[in-house]
Structures are given as structure tokens and as C-alpha cells.
């Protein structure tokens, strides 16, 4: 790991991927995650008024929380995300025009990749980190294998990460992890059960702190 721009992401350790049917539900879910001790928040563009949600969270938490925009799939979304002041930008794939727009914004940029060819493409486009997605397809051992040919690539596995296997991912060299449905449960969002999401976040936060103490 050699990218100073990623320091804040590494310190957060866990990025909660927030998907919700309304802007207010996304804000409430993010609040619950943060109360639980997770300070990395990725609001996806699938959330209605995602730009508003990000601006609201930045205004509320400032630099105490790393707030990013994810599921960026077009250059115009990348440009809109930049205007919010988001700390980081995430795309699930590695489409050249999208990634170039994100990199040009000067924010921490993560592009999704799974195969070695996709990792090479992401690195060539100048991303700060590779979002290994869906990470569940290969597991921590697959990340370990990828780090053989790509020792200088910063990986953030997303998809299939749990509080229970978080230490395995970090142990295989992940600089941080992304957690979606296992952390921000769609059922809990639908039921507005913010206490459940807070409890899930607490488990992730505790697991990450314990992992750091073992290193």
C-alpha cells in the first residue's frame, strides 16, 4: 500500500454501501451506521436524490466521516458526484470513459474489477484502488492470489464481506472492505429498524478494531 490519498479510507476500514428506497431512509441508515462506529459511507446512485443525501451527510459530519458516491456508471454521474464534495467515487466496473471522468475529478477513485485483465485495465486508468467485486466469487484466497502479480495494487473487496470474515480479507492484504446487504440490511431499511443496522455496524467496527490489534 503506497497511496497517501487512501489514508482516510484505510483508517475507516469499513465502507458501508447504503442502498435505500428514499433519500430520507438512506440518511437514517447512514446515521445508524455511523452511530455503530463505521465511518466510511458509500451512497449509491440507485438511491433517489443521492446527491442530496451525500451533501446532507457531509454537512452533518464533516471530516469525521468519509462519504462517497457509488454505483457511478456514466461520466455525467461522475461529474455530478464531484460537485458534492464527496471524499471518494466508486464504479462497479471499469468502463474507460467513466473511470477517466472519475480520475479527472481528483478524488479517491475506486473501479470494480474481478479478473486479472480488469485489474490491469483499472491500474492503467489511474485508479487509487480496485474494488474487488463481487468478492464472494473467489473469497479471501482469491485476493491473495491476485496480490501475487499485483503487489502494489490497493484492493477493497466488496460483496460477501461479513463481520465474521473481515479479518480474513484484511489478513490477505485488503486495505479496507465494502459491506452492503450484510451491514445495511434491505429488510431493516424497509422496516426502518435503525437499531438493527446500528448493531450490525457495531459488530463490523469491533471486528475491524480487533483485526488491527492482531497485526
Amino acid at each position: 500500500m503506497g497511496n497517501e490519498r487512501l489514508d482516510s479510507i484505510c483508517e475507516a476500514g469499513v465502507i458501508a454501501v447504503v442502498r435505500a428506497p428514499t433519500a430520507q431512509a438512506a440518511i437514517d441508515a447512514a446515521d445508524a451506521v455511523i452511530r455503530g462506529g463505521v465511518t466510511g459511507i458509500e451512497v449509491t446512485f440507485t438511491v433517489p436524490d443521492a446527491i442530496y443525501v451525500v451533501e446532507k451527510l457531509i454537512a452533518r459530519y464533516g471530516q469525521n466521516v468519509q462519504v462517497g458516491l457509488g454505483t457511478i456508471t456514466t461520466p455525467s454521474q461522475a461529474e455530478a458526484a464531484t460537485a458534492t464534495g464527496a471524499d471518494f467515487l466508486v464504479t462497479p466496473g471499469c468502463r474507460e470513459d467513466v473511470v477517466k471522468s472519475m480520475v479527472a475529478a481528483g478524488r479517491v477513485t475506486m473501479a470494480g474489477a474481478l479478473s486479472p485483465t480488469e485489474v490491469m485495465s483499472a491500474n492503467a486508468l489511474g485508479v487509487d484502488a480496485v474494488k474487488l467485486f463481487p468478492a464472494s466469487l473467489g473469497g479471501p484466497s482469491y485476493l491473495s492470489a491476485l496480490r501475487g502479480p499485483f503487489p502494489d495494487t490497493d484492493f477493497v473487496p466488496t460483496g460477501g464481506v461479513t463481520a465474521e470474515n473481515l479479518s480474513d480479507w484484511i489478513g490477505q492484504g485488503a486495505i479496507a472492505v465494502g459491506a452492503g446487504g450484510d451491514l445495511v440490511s434491505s429488510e431493516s431499511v424497509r422496516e426502518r429498524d435503525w437499531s438493527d443496522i446500528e448493531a450490525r455496524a457495531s459488530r463490523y467496527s469491533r471486528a475491524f478494531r480487533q483485526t488491527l490489534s492482531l497485526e
Side-chain angles (χ1 to χ4, degrees):
M1 181 178 61
N3 193 328
E4 294 180 358
R5 297 175 64 196
L6 287 175
D7 284 352
S8 56
I9 300 296
C10 298
E11 290 170 8
V14 179
I15 299 171
V17 181
V18 176
R19 299 183 186 278
T22 67
Q24 188 57 54
I27 292 169
D28 290 341
D31 286 340
V33 166
I34 294 164
R35 287 196 301 271
V38 170
T39 57
I41 304 293
E42 176 189 330
V43 179
T44 69
F45 256 104
T46 58
V47 174
D49 299 316
I51 297 293
Y52 166 78
V53 174
V54 167
E55 291 174 339
K56 190 78 170 178
L57 293 174
I58 291 173
R60 182 172 297 178
Y61 295 103
Q63 291 305 304
N64 294 319
V65 174
Q66 296 300 306
V67 182
L69 264 161
T71 318
I72 294 173
T73 57
T74 66
S76 62
Q77 286 180 336
E79 293 165 8
T82 303
T84 67
D87 297 297
F88 60 93
L89 309 177
V90 187
T91 179
C94 195
R95 208 176 87 181
E96 184 174 354
D97 59 341
V98 175
V99 176
K100 281 185 174 180
S101 295
M102 293 166 58
V103 171
R107 307 292 167 78
V108 171
T109 297
M110 303 183 209
L114 183 63
S115 71
T117 298
E118 291 168 340
V119 173
M120 290 171 67
S121 296
N123 286 336
L125 290 170
V127 301
D128 295 294
V130 168
K131 171 182 175 176
L132 184 62
F133 177 78
S136 58
L137 290 183
S141 62
Y142 181 62
L143 171 58
S144 177
L146 280 178
R147 283 182 54 77
F150 305 112
D152 298 322
T153 296
D154 293 313
F155 288 96
V156 180
T158 306
V161 175
T162 66
E164 290 70 33
N165 67 22
L166 185 155
S167 62
D168 296 331
W169 289 108
I170 299 297
Q172 294 298 346
I175 64 164
V177 298
D182 186 69
L183 173 47
V184 186
S185 162
S186 59
E187 180 180 356
S188 297
V189 171
R190 186 171 57 252
E191 298 296 328
R192 302 185 66 82
D193 188 353
W194 310 127
S195 61
D196 176 67
I197 292 177
E198 182 178 346
R200 290 168 182 262
S202 294
R203 290 196 292 273
Y204 273 85
S205 177
R206 184 165 56 250
F208 181 64
R209 292 197 307 271
Q210 290 174 344
T211 298
L212 292 184
S213 70
L214 295 174
E215 291 185 344

